[in-house]
């Protein structure tokens, strides 16, 4: 079967900013596979952060040159790659857009780990500077080009906050009654839980403004936590393998659990594990972006917001699923984050479903596949990196380190 | 009389970021006058922007060295001055805070002109980068210092947007009823009308986050448009004179009208002049900041937001007041901004009033004084600089330039 893939109504030229990353690489391959002309931009900062954190992708990812050479071999398609910093090299971004006249730009190029963004002043400052200037440069360059380019941005469910949602979270906008009984539809109130999540809130305001002032066409995807590693496209050759982060800064919760299971360590749940989060499989990330590109807002339409999620789970329930699958234990540790110990979360994903999206859910089959990946490369794992090393504030740091 | 001045309950050490500017300089003198220990930080970027725009303060402002020497002569008080960029020299800011252990930091150090922020890509990018990184550096440095420093920030009424408010705008937060009848109190929805105003919205999110995560004590002053030039403290010696901007980028509307009147030119109203805006006199800016420093939020309290305004007026009514006073004409020109042609605006300023603030209003006495300032220095005026030179987008630029 096609796994829910579709043939685009027209071939588009798509620039993928951050196309070397965990989501960007499989998405670039998917867009190329379904027939779009893809161009990748990346400054390889994610690989550089691995040097700083003294860890590495569990999977042996290849250099961009090697990746693209192999993709050419297996698919016959060429993906040009440009190495530059979208937050710093405004002129290169502007020239690329003016020269290539893309139909769409998919923007993944941000520092995306909440714990990393809370590690210390350097990382807080870097995350703000990189993410806000990167997004603003993109919008500014499109305005300067005078072209009608559709921006597809990866945001996060975390902009809504992780308190108890008290009802299904709608897609971006919310109906409210203001004092005096006036009805209004406003951007969902923002409640970011880290500097990283905050930058996605700042991005939202940039999008609102540039849509209103310059009529840019923008789709903002409020994505859940991504799990998994490979997709049908990265599996075509082992040298196309996607990155798999398991460290406490970049490893998302499910991937961390799978790694602990593979190493025979207890799964470490923060606090009660009562946090409810939204999840999506990496293959669905790519497919949703394909759908977003296929269905741009019309010129003049407000910023289109999709909740890009498949399902929600409590962290302790996820741990239980993996523990049952692998026979390992679950252990609670002090929470390095400042967040509600327990929260409910209900999320609408009607818009993608109405476009034909049928989410992959956390079924045993796929989980087993990821377990095999973790197992296959486990000699590359430094298990010490799984325990928290970034703390939301000094008090929390003391509590967490007293514990040890 | 004391003009509403008060003696602080305790002497505080106050760092004034942006203390060379239009609001910062008279505020620094006021805080020094009422007994606080004041330290100024400024990178003189505002003076450098005058070089870029090829214009200058109408009033002959002195160098910082001269200003501070004269203040020492007339008041006996010393104000140390540090030249650095708060958005770029994080370490200098952090060291200054750690060494001086201030009770409060008043943060004026942002690019503050809406038209300048829309001039072109360089200015858009500079405004985002300078304002967001400056504010974030301050918050990050305070967290790193571990000190309990009260932040007083100058925000703008423009964060609420300049549509019709449909009721009195409360101070920062608004009661709403969410779907399902749930009552909630949220940050007032933001609707910035320029890149400059947007940075003040981004600042708001930074404040909300750092208050929640690190319990910083923060007061955000949503200030109206400031008019006037001198205060009782800058009048103590002509060499203490405050800056007076009349150009279309930095000159606020009332000061631009007063300049046109002094030059015998018609007052240029954008469109119908039906825009309603909030105003405050420069002397009240200083006094309100004194009150904010005197009344910090308690540790753990949410971000305190005051609307720092005296009164609201339609732009065409202001023009009429000045025309009546000076006998000059009023002329409509195409609006360089993208904004509602007409809007209503009602604003609460209860909090400052409850602390004893009695606003100076646009009475003829004070207006005459400013008219005299404009008149006295009118040979320093380049009248060409009063006409719009920044346009919100390309379409508007064409409309405005076709007109000429
Ligand atoms: N992974 C998740 O669970 C998840 C969940 C929700 C949203 N997202 C969002 O999706 C996007 C991609 O996430 P990811 O998991 O692939 O992260 P990643 O770190 O693996 O990929 C980001 C890529 O962008 C590049 N990059 C960063 N800053 C850049 C800059 N200034 N110039 C050029 N390139 C730059 C990095 O080198 C990296 O290759 C992010 O914006 C993230 O916030 C991810
Ligand atoms: N003037 C108004 O009508 C008005 C109205 C509402 C709010 N405000 C706010 O009040 C504050 C002060 O406004 P103003 O009218 O005095 O502006 P201004 O431009 O005259 O003063 C700002 C000062 O900050 C300095 N500065 C800017 N960036 C800096 C940096 N990175 N490092 C160090 N110094 C820096 C400038 O050199 C300047 O001296 C601004 O934040 C502005 O947004 C002003």
């Amino acid at each position: 079967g096609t796994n829910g893939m579709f043939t685009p109504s027209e071939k588009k030229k798509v620039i993928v900013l951050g196309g070397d990353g965990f989501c960007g690489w499989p998405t670039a391959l998917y867009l190329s596979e379904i027939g779009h002309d893809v161009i990748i931009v990346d400054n390889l900062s994610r690989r550089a952060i691995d040097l700083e954190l003294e860890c590495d992708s569990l999977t042996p990812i290849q250099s961009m040159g090697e990746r693209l050479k192999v993709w050419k071999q297996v698919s016959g398609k060429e993906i040009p790659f440009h190495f530059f910093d979208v937050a710093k090299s405004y002129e290169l971004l502007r020239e690329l857009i003016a020269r290539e006249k893309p139909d769409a730009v998919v923007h993944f190029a941000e520092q995306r780990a909440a714990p990393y963004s809370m590690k210390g002043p350097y990382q807080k400052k870097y995350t703000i500077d990189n993410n806000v200037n990167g997004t603003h440069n993109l919008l500014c360059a499109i305005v300067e080009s005078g072209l009608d380019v559709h921006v597809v941005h990866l945001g996060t469910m975390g902009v809504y906050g992780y308190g108890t949602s008290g009802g299904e979270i709608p897609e971006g906008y919310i109906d409210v009654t203001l004092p005096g009984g006036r009805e209004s539809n406003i951007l969902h109130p923002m409640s970011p839980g880290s500097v990283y999540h905050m930058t996605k809130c700042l991005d939202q305001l940039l999008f609102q403004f540039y849509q209103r002032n310059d009529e840019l066409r923008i789709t903002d995807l409020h994505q859940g936590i991504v799990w998994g590693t490979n997709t049908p496209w990265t599996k075509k050759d082992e040298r196309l393998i996607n990155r798999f982060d398991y460290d406490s800064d970049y490893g998302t919760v499910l991937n961390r659990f799978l790694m602990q299971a593979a190493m025979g360590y207890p799964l470490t749940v923060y606090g009660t594990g009562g946090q409810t989060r939204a999840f999506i499989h990496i293959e669905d990330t790519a497919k949703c972006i394909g759908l977003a590109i296929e269905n741009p807002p019309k010129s003049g339409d407000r910023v289109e917001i999709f909740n890009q999620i498949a399902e929600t789970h409590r962290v302790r329930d996820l741990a239980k699923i993996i523990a049952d699958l692998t026979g390992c234990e679950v252990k609670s540790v002090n929470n390095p984050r400042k967040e509600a110990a327990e929260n409910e979360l209900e999320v609408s994903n009607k818009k993608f479903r109405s476009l034909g999206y049928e989410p992959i859910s956390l079924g045993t089959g796929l989980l087993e596949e990821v377990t095999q990946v973790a197992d296959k490369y486990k000699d590359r794992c430094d298990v010490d990196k799984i325990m928290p090393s970034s703390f939301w504030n000094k008090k929390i740091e003391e509590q967490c380190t007293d514990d040890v």
Side-chain angles (χ1 to χ4, degrees), chain A:
Chain A
T2 59
N3 287 312
M5 279 171 70
F6 67 97
T7 308
S9 58
E10 52 173 316
K11 185 192 185 85
K12 290 186 174 174
K13 189 178 274 189
V14 183
I15 298 180
V16 178
L17 306 179
D20 186 47
F22 170 57
C23 299
W25 174 241
T27 301
L29 295 191
Y30 172 72
L31 298 175
S32 172
E33 176 76 20
I34 64 175
H36 292 313
D37 275 338
V38 175
I39 296 169
I40 289 178
V41 173
D42 205 296
N43 68 345
L44 307 183
S45 53
R46 178 67 193 86
R47 298 185 189 229
I49 289 175
D50 270 346
L51 302 177
E52 172 195 347
L53 299 179
E54 304 180 358
C55 58
D56 201 356
S57 167
L58 184 76
T59 48
I61 54 172
Q62 302 301 304
S63 68
M64 195 39 110
E66 181 74 4
R67 283 179 152 186
L68 297 175
K69 194 186 77 194
V70 174
W71 181 245
K72 175 94 195 283
Q73 285 165 12
V74 305
S75 74
K77 298 180 193 214
E78 202 111 33
I79 300 181
F81 168 56
H82 299 272
F83 173 83
F84 65 82
D85 187 325
V86 300
K88 295 216 172 105
S89 295
Y90 174 73
E91 282 69 23
L92 292 180
L93 180 64
R94 186 195 59 192
E95 281 162 24
L96 184 72
I97 290 172
R99 188 172 66 240
E100 296 291 348
K101 301 185 179 39
D103 299 287
V105 176
V106 186
H107 176 27
F108 292 105
E110 297 188 89
Q111 191 301 98
R112 70 103 173 129
Y116 183 81
S117 80
M118 297 304 289
K119 208 174 195 59
Y122 176 87
Q123 292 81 4
K124 289 179 191 177
K125 287 163 48 46
Y126 167 72
T127 302
I128 290 279
D129 195 39
N130 186 61
N131 294 6
V132 177
N133 282 314
T135 299
H136 184 258
N137 278 353
L138 172 61
L139 301 172
C140 196
I142 292 174
V143 170
E144 215 187 338
S145 77
L147 299 168
D148 182 21
V149 180
H150 176 207
V151 174
V152 178
H153 172 255
L154 274 288
T156 162
M157 284 295 304
V159 297
Y160 301 121
Y162 288 124
T164 285
S165 60
E168 193 185 61
I169 296 182
E171 308 201 60
Y173 302 92
I174 192 166
D175 288 318
V176 294
T177 311
L178 300 173
R182 285 173 299 132
E183 304 290 333
S184 186
N185 183 271
I186 62 172
L187 205 56
H188 190 290
M190 297 184 244
S191 186
S194 72
V195 166
Y196 156 69
H197 290 103
M198 187 164 58
T199 62
K200 298 289 180 169
C201 297
L202 306 183
D203 286 343
Q204 283 209 83
L205 289 175
L206 298 177
F207 297 143
Q208 292 290 322
F209 175 75
Y210 275 91
Q211 187 285 317
R212 279 203 316 275
N213 194 70
D214 300 283
E215 305 207 339
L216 295 197
R217 293 188 297 136
I218 301 169
T219 302
D220 197 8
L221 303 171
H222 291 184
Q223 188 173 240
I225 299 173
V226 183
W227 66 281
T229 313
N230 281 311
T231 66
W233 319 292
T234 65
K235 271 191 268 190
K236 291 196 173 182
D237 187 297
E238 188 167 357
R239 290 165 298 169
L240 297 175
I241 200 164
N242 197 19
R243 63 180 303 129
F244 179 104
D245 297 310
Y246 63 89
D247 65 287
S248 60
D249 284 317
Y250 277 88
T252 54
V253 54
L254 199 53
N255 285 5
R256 267 187 284 124
F257 286 165
L258 290 165
M259 196 67 244
Q260 290 177 315
M263 301 296 285
Y265 277 69
L267 314 183
T268 48
V269 158
Y270 296 159
T272 63
Q275 306 91 337
T276 311
R277 295 291 181 271
F279 295 87
I280 183 167
H281 187 263
I282 182 69
E283 187 176 328
D284 281 343
T285 290
K287 287 184 191 156
C288 283
I289 288 166
L291 286 170
I293 292 171
E294 181 70 12
N295 297 279
K298 287 193 290 291
S299 182
D301 280 0
R302 74 175 177 184
V303 176
E304 178 75 274
I305 299 176
F306 288 85
N307 291 337
Q308 185 162 312
I309 72 133
E311 57 198 321
T312 63
H313 292 281
R314 284 200 193 261
V315 169
R316 62 172 166 253
D317 299 335
L318 284 183
K320 181 150 190 328
I321 295 172
I322 316 264
D324 289 349
L325 186 76
T326 59
C328 63
E329 274 172 67
V330 179
K331 188 180 121 185
S332 164
V333 297
N334 275 347
N335 194 343
R337 305 181 178 214
K338 190 173 166 91
E339 64 185 5
E342 307 256 334
N343 72 308
E344 310 273 350
L345 186 66
E346 278 177 77
V347 187
S348 168
N349 64 359
K350 287 193 196 83
K351 287 194 198 171
F352 270 129
R353 285 189 180 264
S354 77
L355 297 176
Y357 168 53
E358 286 173 34
I360 293 172
S361 66
L362 262 165
T364 324
L366 261 174
L367 270 178
E368 266 172 1
E369 194 196 310
V370 192
T371 314
Q372 282 155 21
V373 170
D375 201 57
K376 177 166 180 191
Y377 298 106
K378 75 176 174 209
D379 56 326
R380 289 173 51 93
C381 171
D382 175 356
V383 78
D384 291 343
K385 296 294 180 192
I386 307 179
M387 294 309 289
S389 64
S390 299
F391 306 93
W392 260 236
N393 62 37
K394 281 185 189 158
K395 219 162 74 188
I396 291 175
E397 177 161 11
E398 283 158 20
Q399 285 161 4
C400 288
T401 42
D402 276 4
D403 202 38
V404 190

